[in-house]
Amino acid sequence: MKVPFLDLKVTYLELADEIDSAIKSVLKGGWYILGENVRCFEEEFAAYCGCRYCVGVGSGMDALELLLKAHEIGQGDEVVVPANTYIASALAVSNVGAIPVLVEPDPRTCNIDPFRIEAVITSRTRAVMAVHLYGQTADMKRFKEICRKCGLKLFEDAAQAHGAMHFGVKAGSLSDGAGFSFYPGKNLGAFGDGGAVLTDERDVAEYVRMARNYGSGKKYYNAIKGMNSRLDELQAAILRVKLRHLDEWNRRRSEVAQIYLDRLEARDEELVLPHIGEGNTHVWHLFTVRSNRRDKLRAHLEKRGIETLIHYPVPLYSQAAYQEMSRSRKNYPISDSISERILSLPMGPHLSKEAAEYVCAVVNSFFEH
Ligand SMILES: *Cc1c(COP(=O)(O)O)cnc(C)c1O
């Protein structure tokens, strides 16, 4: 049996009629940038997240950068970022001229550990960028308390957490502002790049609205030095269709996860199953296991037709791009161990029950001899 990690073509085919007609109506409408679909999607996604404002931008990383800029975070500032995350979370901080200060994760959830924040705070620390990794939120209740106590802004990188909740509150409305990505493989994915900033603050929304469009609120009048980072009408029209199916697709992801959780046999260091943090509704962007025999397990699965991925094989502090951090590599033993052991099993709304059961049988068989 062949089990691809994620088949994006079938996600299109399920909604082909709705998506084709949405695309056609944009093409026939003759208005392709910043029109009705972007405006409606922004309203609909803000309502979905329980936030006042949503501003569509060109990508998830741009969303994070614009969010930081809107809060006047830049040169000389420090922003706390998880050591265990996709590099974009840190790049957004570097790209506005600030310094990402890395903090180790809670080894159970792999999400940034709130109890390690206070130790890295300096007079230059301005904010914490919590990342909801793999589809469950960071421990936002504790982050809120700590950030309030220490006078820091709290942001969310919610690129992997569309629809995830923390004590019943949606990702995107758990902080002072959030960035989402609509990269095709995300839980809510476009057919190209896209992203959004979510905020309850009118000033922040207005800043991002101008900054994404050359700094212009009114055509040919530029109030600030902006950039070009706009969600386009085609992607917005597609996202409006897919948003209506997001909860159903997240529910299907959790059915796959439940099969994995029921059938995989946890074995100390050899097979560690995901842990769901207190108060969290997980949306299973990824289903990650950890194993001290990861590479052999991965080869065993591959030989039997099962595609897996590693999120992420090289931690950001070990990347050539962050040479200035490499000296401190030994400071991140938990993140190092995660990158050496983590393995993402096939996951998506279209993975059949049979395929998920087959994956479990093959994983269990690896450990049985
Ligand atoms: C995908 C992702 C991003 C970047 O989103 P893009 O739209 O690809 O720029 C940022 N942070 C995390 C955690 C991501 O998974």
Side-chain angles (χ1 to χ4, degrees), residues 121-139:
I121 292 178
T122 71
S123 58
R124 293 177 300 277
T125 312
R126 295 278 315 279
V128 172
M129 176 72 75
V131 180
H132 307 321
L133 207 63
Y134 309 145
Q136 71 170 325
T137 65
D139 188 351

Side-chain angles (χ1 to χ4, degrees), residues 71-339:
H71 286 271
E72 297 182 330
I73 290 172
Q75 211 76 44
D77 295 329
E78 293 177 356
V79 178
V80 176
V81 174
N84 182 50
T85 181
Y86 182 55
I87 195 169
S89 320
L91 284 176
V93 173
S94 301
N95 286 347
V96 302
I99 295 168
V101 175
L102 305 188
V103 162
E104 284 271 74
D106 177 331
R108 291 169 309 164
T109 60
C110 302
N111 264 333
I112 181 169
D113 185 348
F115 295 107
R116 293 169 182 268
I117 300 299
E118 286 181 78
V120 302
I121 292 178
T122 71
S123 58
R124 293 177 300 277
T125 312
R126 295 278 315 279
V128 172
M129 176 72 75
V131 180
H132 307 321
L133 207 63
Y134 309 145
Q136 71 170 325
T137 65
D139 188 351
M140 298 306 281
K141 206 170 134 201
R142 297 232 162 65
F143 275 113
K144 257 187 198 166
E145 288 163 14
I146 293 166
C147 288
R148 190 177 303 133
K149 187 174 106 190
C150 301
L152 303 177
K153 291 279 175 194
L154 175 60
F155 302 124
E156 296 160 78
D157 176 344
Q160 302 189 359
H162 314 75
M165 289 191 278
H166 188 63
F167 293 100
V169 179
K170 288 248 173 73
S173 59
L174 290 162
S175 68
D176 296 308
F180 279 88
S181 164
F182 306 121
Y183 181 80
K186 310 289 188 187
N187 288 37
L188 178 60
F191 293 126
D193 277 309
V197 172
L198 277 284
T199 177
D200 281 332
E201 291 172 66
R202 190 191 203 171
D203 291 354
V204 170
E206 265 171 19
Y207 173 89
V208 177
R209 232 176 264 290
M210 282 200 279
R212 72 172 171 186
N213 190 30
Y214 309 114
S216 161
K218 184 175 154 199
K219 202 163 188 177
Y220 304 129
Y221 290 84
N222 302 73
I224 54 172
K225 295 189 187 77
M227 62 201 277
N228 175 356
S229 179
R230 302 172 295 215
L231 182 65
D232 68 67
E233 282 287 295
L234 270 179
Q235 301 305 339
I238 292 161
L239 288 168
R240 291 182 71 195
V241 172
K242 291 180 100 179
L243 179 57
R244 297 199 286 270
H245 299 270
L246 177 59
D247 285 340
E248 160 69 10
W249 285 16
N250 280 343
R251 195 186 56 69
R252 287 200 228 153
R253 284 174 182 272
S254 77
E255 281 174 7
V256 173
Q258 201 53 54
I259 293 173
Y260 285 160
L261 291 169
D262 288 345
R263 300 203 169 209
L264 292 172
E265 290 165 32
R267 297 156 191 269
D268 293 327
E269 298 284 291
E270 289 195 313
L271 192 69
V272 179
L273 298 179
H275 170 86
I276 301 174
E278 196 196 348
N280 279 356
T281 307
H282 203 313
V283 291
W284 303 105
H285 174 59
L286 297 170
F287 189 97
T288 56
V289 297
R290 277 174 284 166
S291 174
N292 58 1
R293 297 167 65 195
R294 191 258 321 266
D295 294 340
K296 291 213 167 77
L297 170 61
R298 189 174 193 212
H300 176 87
L301 290 163
E302 193 184 347
K303 237 192 264 163
R304 287 156 185 81
I306 298 168
E307 187 188 3
T308 58
L309 293 176
I310 295 173
H311 299 91
Y312 297 90
V314 183
L316 72 98
Y317 50 83
S318 300
Q319 297 284 355
Y322 275 118
Q323 257 165 346
E324 71 271 27
M325 290 183 179
S326 62
R327 273 178 292 115
S328 53
R329 191 171 170 170
K330 63 179 182 319
N331 296 341
Y332 307 109
I334 302 173
S335 302
D336 258 16
S337 142
I338 290 172
S339 77

Side-chain angles (χ1 to χ4, degrees), residues 19-30:
I19 288 173
D20 290 356
S21 87
I23 290 174
K24 216 174 229 173
S25 96
V26 173
L27 296 183
K28 284 186 174 162

